[in-house]
Amino acid sequence: MTRLSLIPLLPLVGFLINGLLGSRFPRWLVSLIACALPAASFALTACLFTGLLASGTPVSETYFSWAALSVLKVDVALYFDQISAVMCMVVTGVGTLIHIYSIGYMCHDESYSRYFAYLNLFLFFMLTLVLGKNMLILFAGWEGVGLASYLLIGYWFKDSEKTAAGMKAFVVNRVGDTGFILAAFLIWYFAKTLDFQMVNAYFAASPPSLLIMNTIGILMLIGACGKSAQIPLHVWLPDAMAGPTPVSALIHAATMVTAGVYLLSRANGVFLHAPLAMNVVAWGGCLTAFLGASMGLTQYNLKKVLAYSTMSQIGYMFMACGLGAYQSAMFHLYTHAFFKACLFLGAGAVLHALHGEEDMRNMGGLAKKIPFTFATFLLASLALCGVPPFAGFFSKDEILWNAWSASNGSPLMWAIGSITAGLTAFYMFRAIFMTFFGESNVPEHASHGIHEPPPSMSIVLGILAFSSIVAGLIGMPAPLREMFGVSAPFFNFLGQAFPAHAVEAEAGAHHMETLLMGVSVAVAFGGIFLSWLFYSRNREWAVKVKQNAGCVYEMIANGYYFDAFYYGIVVKTSDWISESVLGRTIEPAITDLTLVKSAEGAQSVSALFSWLQTGNVQAYVFYALLGLAMMLWMGVSNV
Amino acid sequence: MTGIFITLFSLLSVVFAGMVIAIRQPMRSALCLVAHMISLAAIYACLGAHVVAVFQVLIYVGAVMVFMVYTIMLLDDRDSSYRHVFSGMTMPAIAIVLVVGAALWMLLGQQPANFATAGPTLDGIFTFRSFSTEFMKQYWFHFELATVLLLIGIVAAWTAVKEGL
Amino acid sequence: MDRYQFLIALAGLIFSMGLLGVMIRRNLLVVMMCLEIMLNAVVLSFVTFAVRGQTLSGVAMTFFIYVAASCEIALAMAIVVLFVKRHGSLDLTPHQNLKG
C-alpha cells in the first residue's frame, strides 16, 4: 500500500513537471498542475485522517532499507499518527490555499513556473519532514525545506539584497542543524536506532544519565531554534521577508517555522527525562515571545511586524512544549497557521493594491478603499490578539494556563506571557491603525487604482478568515467545556499520541483558570485600547514616547544588537581566519608543498630524461644495443 | 681442407670488417668492405652454395659497392667527419659490444667443440642448374614481386633526387 | 663446435662489428657501409642454415635479401645526396635537430 507515499510525492511530481517543462506551458496549465497536485495531497490526507479518526491506530509504511550496517539500520519509512495527521492537514490545506492565492499575486511575474515549482518542492520536503518515521528522513525533509526557503527568499535573484537574505536564512539554519545532528549522534549512541517510536520507548525504559539527556535535549533545541527562528538564531526571519508575500505566508508563518515545534513534540520521549532541557525550552520560548513582541513595536515595515509576530507566537509554542503541554503547542500551531497566513496574505493584498509599498508610514486610510481586505485582516488580527471567541483566544489561553499551573511553570512565566499578549495586541492594532485608518500618506505614483485583489486572492483570504474564527472551537479549555457541555475533540485526538503527557481531566472547580482567562481577555482589550490611543487619537504621544525612550528604543529597533553582534564577532572573525590565517599562511604553504613541489620534482626528473634525447641517431642505436646487451647477458646467466 | 679455407676466409672477413670501421678515408673503407664481401663469397663457395657466392660478388660487390664508390667520389669527403673520425660515444659503444661478445662467447662455450665434422654432402641442390629450376618453380611469384619492388625503388630514388625532398 | 656453429658465431661477430661501426663513425657513408656489413652477416647466417639443412628456402631468402639491399642502397644514396645538399657536410654529429 503506497498511499502514504503519494502525499509527499504528488507535489514532487508538480515540481518536476513545472520545473523542467513549465516555461513552455501556458500559464493556466502551470497553475493547474501546481494547485491540483497539493489539493490531491490534501484530499488524500483527509481520507487518511478520517481513517485515523475512526480507528485510532497510526499508519506506518516502510519502503526500502536505506542503510543496513551492522551498527545502524535505517529504512525509508513514513508514519502517520495523530501528530503528523494534524501537521499534514495544516500543511496541505493551508499550502493549497496559498498556491491558489499565488496565482493571482504572481500573475505579473516573468518566471511564473519557477515559482510554482519551488513552492511544490517545498511542500514535498515539508511533508517528508512531517511524515518521516526516523530522524534521518525527518532530517532529509528538514534540510530540504531549508533549501526551498533559500530558493524562495532569493526568488527575485537579480536583487543582491534579496539573495543575501536567502543566504542568511540558509546559513543560520545550518548552525541549528549542527545541533540537530549532534543530538542524532548522541541518540544513536545510546539507543542504537533513529526511529522515533523506538527511541522514545528506549528512553522511557532505560534512560542514560541526566547529563546526557539534558545535552541531547539542548542540542535538539538548538536545531529547533534554527529552523523556527527562536533566540538566538532568529536573525534570519525578518530578512526573509524579502521573498514574495505568499512565500512568507506559507513558509515563514504556517509551516516551516513550525517544524521546530513538530520536532520537539516528536521527541517528547527524550524531553521527558531531561528536566533541565525542558526548563531551557520553556524559558527560551518565553523570552523569545517577549523579545519578538517588543521588536514588533518598533518596525515600520508591515511584513516585518508580522515576522516578529510569528517569532513571538512560536515562542509561545516552544514555551508550551517546554512545559510538557504538547497538545496545547500543537493546537496553537494549528490556529496560528490560519490567522497568520491570513494576515500575511492580507498584507500581500495591501502590497498588491499599493504596487509594492511596504512601509506603513506611506500607507493610511485604506479601510474605505479595500474594505474586504481590511475585514479579513481585522478578523485575523483579533484572532491573533486573543479576543474570544476567535481561534487565537482558546489556544493562547491554554498555553498561558499551562504556564501558570504546570510543574515547571511559574507565575513569573505566566506574567511575561500575558504582558507579551498585551504587546501583541498593541503592535497588531498599531499596524492596523497605521495602515488602514487615518489620513492617507500613500505617495502619488501608487495612489491611483487602489483596488481589491482578484478573486483568486480574495476567496483564499475569506476562507482563512473564516477558519480563524471557527478553528478554535474544537479545542476549548476545560472550564468552558463544562460551561457549554462540549468536549474538546482536538485534545482527545492528540492525546492518543502523547500517552505520557495526558491532559489531566480534573473535574470540579476551575476557579484559577477562569480567573486567568478573564485576565487575558482584559489584557487583550487593554492592548487594543492603548494602541487606539497612541496611533489613532493622539498620534503625538507615540512620537514623544519614542523620543523619551531614546537609547532603549534604539536597542529594540536594532534587534537587541543580535545582528550587530553576529556580524562583528562571528562574521568578522571567520573572515579574518579565512583571509589572514588560511589564505595568506596555510594555503600557500600547502599549495607549495603539494602542487608546486611535485610539479618541480616531475620537471627535474624529466629534465634528467630529456638529457637522453640527443637527436643523434647513433645515440639511439647505442641505446638499442644497450638493451640487447642486457637481454643477452640475462639470458646467458640464466641458461 | 675446406675447414682450413673456411677458417682463413672468416679471419680475413673479420679483419677487413675491422678495417672498415677504423680507417679514416671513406674510399679506403669502401675498398676494405669490398674485400670483406669477397671473403664472405669465398666462404659460401667453400660451403658449396655456389649460387650464393656468385650472387654475392655480382650483386653486392658489382652493384651495391660500385654505387657506393660513385657516391663517395661525387661527394666531398674532406669535411669535419674527416678530421674527427669517431663520434662521442666510442668508449661506451666498445664496452657494450665487448659485453655482447662476451655473452655470445659464453653461449657458444656451452657447446662441445666439434669443428671438423662436415655436414651432409655438399653437391646437389646449390648448383646453378638445379637451383634455378627449383627457384623458378617455387618462388616465381616472389620473384615477380621483387622486380616490382625494384621498379618502385628506382622511381622513388629518381623522384627524391629530382624534387629535392 | 662444428663448422656451422662456428659460422653462426662468426655471423654474430660480424653483425656486432657492423653495429659498432654504426655507432662509432661520424661519416654518413661509412655508417651506410657498416649497415651493409650487418646485412652481410645476416646473409651468412641464412646460407649456413640452408646448407646445413639442405633446404632451398634459405638460399631463396638470400636472393631476396640481395634485391632489398639493392633497392635500399639506391634510395639511401639518394637520401645521402639530399642530406649533403641540405647540411653541406657528411658529418652526423652536428645533425641533431630532434634534440630534446
Side-chain angles (χ1 to χ4, degrees), chain C residues 55-100:
Chain C
T55 59
L56 190 64
S57 50
V59 175
M61 190 61 199
T62 64
F63 180 80
F64 294 118
I65 290 179
Y66 288 142
V67 168
S70 317
C71 265
E72 176 214 334
I73 204 66
L75 280 167
M77 291 303 122
I79 292 175
V80 166
V81 166
L82 290 171
F83 182 89
V84 172
K85 231 197 265 181
R86 195 186 173 98
H87 287 93
S89 115
L90 280 166
D91 198 345
L92 277 180
T93 309
H95 169 55
Q96 293 180 5
N97 292 359
L98 287 176
K99 186 172 173 67

Side-chain angles (χ1 to χ4, degrees), chain C residues 3-91:
Chain C
R3 72 167 55 144
Y4 301 113
Q5 286 173 331
F6 172 74
L7 285 175
I8 296 302
L10 178 70
L13 177 63
I14 295 179
F15 186 87
S16 313
M17 290 174 74
L19 196 51
L20 181 68
V22 168
M23 287 189 288
I24 286 187
R25 291 298 299 251
R26 275 168 81 151
N27 191 318
L28 181 57
L29 286 168
V30 178
V31 167
M32 290 289 154
M33 287 188 239
C34 296
L35 280 176
E36 295 303 318
I37 296 180
M38 286 158 71
L39 265 178
N40 271 314
V42 170
V43 169
L44 173 60
S45 71
F46 266 112
V47 170
T48 309
F49 280 119
V51 169
R52 177 170 177 272
Q54 290 291 302
T55 59
L56 190 64
S57 50
V59 175
M61 190 61 199
T62 64
F63 180 80
F64 294 118
I65 290 179
Y66 288 142
V67 168
S70 317
C71 265
E72 176 214 334
I73 204 66
L75 280 167
M77 291 303 122
I79 292 175
V80 166
V81 166
L82 290 171
F83 182 89
V84 172
K85 231 197 265 181
R86 195 186 173 98
H87 287 93
S89 115
L90 280 166
D91 198 345

Side-chain angles (χ1 to χ4, degrees), chain A residues 531-594:
Chain A
S531 77
W532 175 78
L533 267 187
F534 275 77
Y535 286 99
S536 185
R537 206 158 141 235
N538 305 319
R539 298 238 164 163
E540 62 279 6
W541 288 10
V543 178
K544 253 200 302 191
V545 167
K546 179 169 153 187
Q547 282 167 345
N548 290 343
C551 61
V552 175
Y553 184 87
E554 278 303 309
M555 178 173 77
I556 300 182
N558 285 331
Y560 294 93
Y561 299 119
F562 268 102
D563 266 325
F565 174 75
Y566 285 147
Y567 184 74
I569 306 286
V570 178
V571 174
K572 285 224 163 110
T573 312
S574 20
D575 269 350
W576 173 80
I577 292 179
S578 307
E579 184 156 348
S580 307
V581 175
L582 291 176
R584 299 226 185 97
T585 316
I586 297 186
E587 197 195 336
I590 294 182
T591 317
D592 185 55
L593 192 63
T594 53

Side-chain angles (χ1 to χ4, degrees), chain B residues 110-129:
Chain B
Q110 313 290 338
Q111 305 295 325
N114 196 358
F115 183 69
T117 47
T121 54
L122 302 177
D123 295 326
I125 60 167
F126 298 126
T127 57
F128 259 102
R129 175 180 298 241

Side-chain angles (χ1 to χ4, degrees), chain A residues 320-341:
Chain A
C321 285
L323 297 166
Y326 294 103
Q327 289 102 318
S328 314
M330 297 293 292
F331 188 45
H332 195 56
L333 192 158
Y334 152 79
T335 57
H336 174 263
F338 290 121
F339 55 70
K340 193 46 69 66

Side-chain angles (χ1 to χ4, degrees), chain A residues 377-389:
Chain A
F377 200 89
L378 181 65
L379 289 173
S381 302
L382 287 173
L384 173 58
C385 299
V387 171

